[in-house]
Amino acid sequence: MAPRLAFTEDNALRIAAVERAFAPSGKSLSKPGRVLVGEGRLMKLCRRSLQPKMFFLFNDIIVYGSIVVHRLWYKNQHIIPLEDIVIEDLADSLEMKNQWLLRTPKKSFYMSAASEKEKQAWICHIIECREQQLISSRKEPTTSFATTWIPDRASQICMRCADKFTVTQRRHHCRQCGFVVCNSCSKCRIVIPAISKKPVRVCTLCFNTLLCEKAKEEAGKRSSDGFDLEMPVYEASSDEDSDEREEDDMMPIRWVKSQNIYHPKNTCFAYLE
């Protein structure tokens, strides 16, 4: 399907519409051979709560962002190459139905769809596009993935020192282990190349472990030579985890299909030509 749609005018117009929706801060998405396969609104588990995000599946990448005005304006654009993605299907939990885990080297997170059918459609399309991309690009699949963050509400105490969280004793996350920790237990900063080129917050235990690993790699050299240990001002939460405006209804999923437009009744997505 993708080769047939890659050079069509409709595909170019759809990609241009996504670019405009992320303007002015979003990156260009137009690329020879790139196809927009599907789009839809999904729930993403952030550090404080489930939040609605808009996802766009292309034949080589996934793009997602926060919803400001549906179909008109999205922000906090994130682009993930399909080679860097692994999907894990999960059973329903008390808090999340129709959920699965999306792992990437930079960040791993839980997602949920409006129905089991919609969830399986997303998983099948992502896996299919990823397999085709690995074949065409001849790249090796990523094998190292970021840990998933434990949600704030999962712990009322620091998972390192057991101090209770209060209004002044705020929650933070170690970027290496994903634990919910207090400020005292996460004062260290270190560069984790897969996550960021800048030093990121880690707990003391992970900091010491990473330094030991680096020392072994450098065979006796100073472990700090390979890390930037500068202590930048830490932002309490990332842009993508800011509170978003909730919408009452789940937006429909739209998949590209090389046949005529079809709008199935009583389903959560519509096919596009």
Side-chain angles (χ1 to χ4, degrees), residues 135-166:
I135 293 173
S136 61
S137 67
R138 298 182 180 179
K139 294 181 179 179
E140 292 295 325
T142 299
T143 57
S144 179
F145 303 99
T147 187
T148 54
W149 284 14
I150 296 174
D152 283 5
R153 64 180 180 276
S155 181
Q156 299 300 316
I157 61 173
C158 173
M159 301 179 75
R160 290 301 183 198
C161 71
D163 276 359
K164 186 176 181 180
F165 292 119
T166 63

Side-chain angles (χ1 to χ4, degrees), residues 211-226:
L211 284 184
C212 289
E213 291 176 355
K214 186 61 179 179
K216 292 178 181 178
E217 291 175 1
E218 295 189 348
K221 291 184 179 180
R222 288 174 58 87
S223 60
S224 59
D225 290 343

Side-chain angles (χ1 to χ4, degrees), residues 105-107 146-147 149 172-178 181 185-204 206-208 210-211 227-235 238:
K106 188 173 183 180
K107 192 164 189 176
T147 187
W149 284 14
H172 300 284
H173 280 85
C174 172
R175 270 54 174 175
Q176 177 68 9
C177 66
V181 291
C185 291
S186 59
K187 289 182 177 295
C188 298
R189 304 292 189 278
I190 200 167
V191 170
I192 303 177
I195 296 178
S196 175
K197 296 179 180 179
K198 298 180 180 180
V200 294
R201 180 185 291 266
V202 293
C203 67
T204 305
C206 287
F207 179 79
N208 292 332
L210 290 169
L211 284 184
F227 290 101
D228 182 358
L229 302 183
E230 181 183 355
M231 303 285 281
V233 176
Y234 175 68
E235 297 180 0
S238 61

